[in-house]
Amino acid sequence: MTQRQAHPEEWNNRAAKLQTRLREAGMQGCLISQNVGIYYYAGAMQTGYLFMPAQGEPTYYVRRSVARAERESKIRASELLSFRNFGEQLAADYPWLKAAEDQNKPAIGADLDVMPAQLYLRLAEAAPGVAWTDGSSLLREARSVKSEYELECISNSAQVAADALEAGLAALKEGMTELELMAVIENAMRLRGHVGIMRMRGYNQEIMTGVVAAGAAAAEPSYFDGPAGGRGLTEAAPQSSSTRPIGRNEPILLDIGCCVDGYTIDQTRTAVMGKLRPELQAAYDTSVSIIRRSEELLKPGAKPEDLYAEALEMAAQAGLSEHFMGYGRDQVKFLGHGIGLEIDEWPVLARGFRAPLEPGMVIAIEPKFTFPEWGVVGIENTYVVTETGCKAITKSPERLFELPL
């Protein structure tokens, strides 16, 4: 398949947006160490560090592979000579860093939410003339509004996920294991361009292709910060699909993601071979009502925490509070999350997120209900905030898939 190519102006716009935020925050520059952040600004993902000055041209300092970075990077790439002397190399390229050492130290942000402590200590030692500060919120905010190119990439991932779900449902039969069903879906996605991984920013958080699980196995809690964990194959990877056979009249949770050209879609559909028991059907209907109400509220100027509060109220009115977004002590405290190069981007539909929504933000909304003895039901769509409201990017048909026995 053909990789989508961004217009050169895409990379200029990304740099300019971050530089504006740096100046507004009183920072003279920002150092990016995380692969995803480097890719976002350089268009390449080789081992190294990207320095973004508040004004002027950024530089991508590469340790390995320099040759590939020079070929692929959309910004200036330079070989990282020695990390011990990285401060001197920076000052040689940006003389104002050296000139300021004898006066006030320049404030340079860094992605401290993901940077290992050891790297930070080495960085502070290599560049003692810099006042290192946390720039992670600026980086996350800058990426929260997507360009047309990014929306095209996410939409393409949505189509691949939709095709793969269709393939999985066509293959589904009683007695098939969760893992076998997941393998059908993953195979279909890989053949259509899914890179095989989805990235998360959260510390110690990992994600597979998603959660394809049924009955009580889908409701098993996990370390994963989501409403459904899944039993998984082993204690060494305690989430997602297991070797448990899928039975009749039990909910099948099809929470899948797909990453093409680096950009991810997240969606959930519920299926059943036969019929759901009445309690689960009522919960599924409530999840649909919550996502319909969320669509009404998802528009520029809305506060993310208000959408979460509304969902909590609707779950309470339905008598389902203790089952909403997990169960008991394992409930998660959000309704949805930003998505793009990472699964867990900003904004988050949760308490404390008060900055108004903006056009171009992409958010996955996932009202789900967990019943430990029966399973998980729910729905999830990914949306883009438009000038007047929102638009679904998810392409899979939106319904409860009731499959004949």
Side-chain angles (χ1 to χ4, degrees), residues 44-266:
M45 193 182 286
Q46 300 300 309
T47 302
Y49 309 93
L50 190 150
F51 183 73
M52 181 72 69
Q55 292 182 317
E57 185 181 6
T59 303
Y60 182 14
Y61 296 95
V62 184
R63 184 174 66 82
R64 186 177 188 276
S65 159
V66 177
R68 186 160 180 176
E70 289 175 340
R71 184 171 71 249
E72 296 177 350
S73 179
K74 310 305 186 294
I75 64 173
R76 180 176 63 191
S78 178
E79 183 176 4
L80 179 63
L81 302 177
S82 166
F83 193 86
R84 182 177 299 175
N85 300 317
F86 184 39
E88 297 176 9
Q89 188 174 1
L90 269 176
D93 290 336
Y94 300 93
W96 51 268
L97 283 171
K98 184 71 173 178
E101 283 187 9
D102 296 331
Q103 303 169 18
N104 294 327
K105 291 183 177 182
I108 304 297
D111 46 6
L112 298 188
D113 64 325
V114 290
M115 180 182 288
Q118 184 183 60
L119 176 57
Y120 173 78
L121 294 174
R122 292 182 63 206
L123 186 63
E125 182 179 359
V130 167
W132 294 103
T133 187
D134 189 6
S136 56
S137 62
L138 296 183
L139 293 168
R140 300 191 75 171
E141 289 166 359
R143 278 174 39 198
S144 65
V145 175
K146 306 308 191 275
S147 67
E148 287 301 318
Y149 163 73
E150 292 180 287
L151 293 176
E152 290 175 6
C153 288
I154 297 171
S155 179
N156 185 44
S157 294
Q159 186 61 60
V160 172
D163 293 343
L165 177 64
E166 184 177 352
L169 291 170
L172 179 60
K173 58 185 178 181
E174 186 179 357
M176 189 180 202
T177 68
E178 297 171 352
L179 181 61
E180 288 170 335
L181 178 56
M182 173 66 96
V184 172
I185 293 171
E186 283 189 304
N187 181 64
M189 286 197 292
R190 287 290 274 163
L191 293 175
R192 291 165 173 79
H194 172 47
V195 299
I197 61 172
M198 295 183 293
R199 295 185 170 95
M200 290 195 69
R201 195 176 189 90
Y203 177 67
N204 266 353
Q205 289 295 297
E206 302 163 316
I207 192 166
M208 301 171 189
T209 304
V211 180
V212 173
E220 288 197 21
S222 169
Y223 73 95
F224 179 68
D225 190 20
R231 181 173 297 169
L233 294 175
T234 167
E235 290 83 354
Q239 62 162 300
S240 193
S241 304
S242 71
T243 55
R244 176 187 183 277
I246 301 171
R248 60 178 63 190
N249 300 324
E250 63 180 11
I252 306 166
L253 186 71
L254 300 158
D255 185 348
I256 59 175
C258 177
C259 180
V260 180
D261 292 333
Y263 284 89
T264 302
I265 190 75
D266 196 6

